[in-house]
Coordinates of all heavy atoms in Angstrom, one line a residue:
T156 N 10.1 18.2 14.9 CA 10.3 16.8 15.2 C 9.1 16.1 15.8 O 8.8 15.0 15.4 CB 11.5 16.6 16.1 OG1 12.6 17.3 15.5 CG2 11.9 15.2 16.3
F173 N 11.3 22.9 4.3 CA 12.7 23.4 4.6 C 13.7 22.3 4.3 O 14.7 22.5 3.8 CB 12.7 23.9 6.0 CG 12.0 25.2 6.2 CD1 10.7 25.2 6.7 CD2 12.6 26.4 5.8 CE1 10.1 26.4 6.9 CE2 11.9 27.6 6.0 CZ 10.7 27.6 6.5
R175 N 13.3 19.5 2.5 CA 13.3 19.1 1.1 C 13.9 20.0 0.1 O 14.3 19.6 -1.0 CB 11.8 18.8 0.6 CG 11.3 17.5 1.3 CD 9.9 17.2 0.9 NE 9.7 16.9 -0.5 CZ 9.9 15.7 -1.0 NH1 10.3 14.7 -0.3 NH2 9.7 15.6 -2.3
Y188 N 13.1 31.3 -6.9 CA 12.1 30.7 -7.8 C 12.1 29.2 -7.8 O 11.0 28.6 -7.7 CB 12.3 31.2 -9.3 CG 11.2 30.7 -10.2 CD1 10.0 31.3 -10.3 CD2 11.4 29.5 -10.9 CE1 9.0 30.9 -11.1 CE2 10.4 29.0 -11.7 CZ 9.2 29.7 -11.8 OH 8.2 29.2 -12.6
D197 N 5.7 19.8 -4.7 CA 5.5 18.9 -3.6 C 4.1 19.0 -3.1 O 3.5 18.0 -2.9 CB 6.5 19.3 -2.5 CG 7.9 18.7 -2.6 OD1 8.1 17.9 -3.6 OD2 8.7 19.0 -1.8
I204 N -2.5 18.9 3.1 CA -1.7 19.9 3.7 C -2.0 20.0 5.2 O -3.2 20.0 5.6 CB -1.8 21.3 3.1 CG1 -0.8 22.3 3.6 CG2 -3.2 21.9 3.2 CD1 -0.7 23.7 2.9
V208 N -0.4 27.4 11.7 CA -0.8 28.7 11.4 C -0.7 29.6 12.7 O -1.6 30.4 12.9 CB -2.2 28.7 10.8 CG1 -2.2 28.2 9.4 CG2 -3.2 27.9 11.7
E215 N 3.1 34.4 5.9 CA 2.5 34.6 4.6 C 2.7 33.4 3.7 O 1.9 33.1 2.8 CB 2.9 35.9 4.0 CG 4.4 36.0 3.7 CD 4.8 37.4 3.2 OE1 4.2 37.9 2.3 OE2 5.7 37.9 3.8
G222 N -3.7 28.6 0.3 CA -4.5 29.0 -0.8 C -4.4 28.1 -2.0 O -5.4 27.7 -2.7
I223 N -3.2 27.6 -2.3 CA -2.9 26.7 -3.3 C -3.6 25.4 -3.0 O -4.3 24.8 -3.9 CB -1.4 26.5 -3.5 CG1 -0.7 27.8 -4.1 CG2 -1.1 25.3 -4.5 CD1 0.8 27.7 -4.0
A224 N -3.5 24.9 -1.8 CA -4.1 23.6 -1.4 C -5.7 23.7 -1.6 O -6.3 22.7 -2.0 CB -3.8 23.3 0.0
R235 N -3.1 25.4 15.3 CA -2.8 26.7 15.9 C -2.9 26.6 17.5 O -4.0 26.3 18.0 CB -3.8 27.8 15.5 CG -3.5 29.2 16.0 CD -4.4 30.2 15.4 NE -4.1 31.5 16.0 CZ -3.2 32.4 15.6 NH1 -2.4 32.0 14.6 NH2 -3.0 33.5 16.2
S261 N -18.4 21.2 9.9 CA -17.5 20.4 10.8 C -16.0 20.8 10.6 O -15.1 20.0 10.8 CB -17.6 18.9 10.5 OG -17.3 18.6 9.2
K264 N -13.2 19.8 13.1 CA -12.6 18.5 13.2 C -11.3 18.5 12.4 O -10.5 17.5 12.5 CB -13.6 17.5 12.6 CG -14.8 17.3 13.5 CD -15.7 16.2 13.0 CE -16.8 15.9 14.0 NZ -17.6 14.8 13.6

Side-chain angles (χ1 to χ4, degrees):
T156 307
F173 289 97
R175 290 180 62 85
Y188 181 85
D197 277 354
I204 184 171
V208 289
E215 65 184 306
I223 292 168
R235 183 175 177 83
S261 61
K264 290 185 177 187

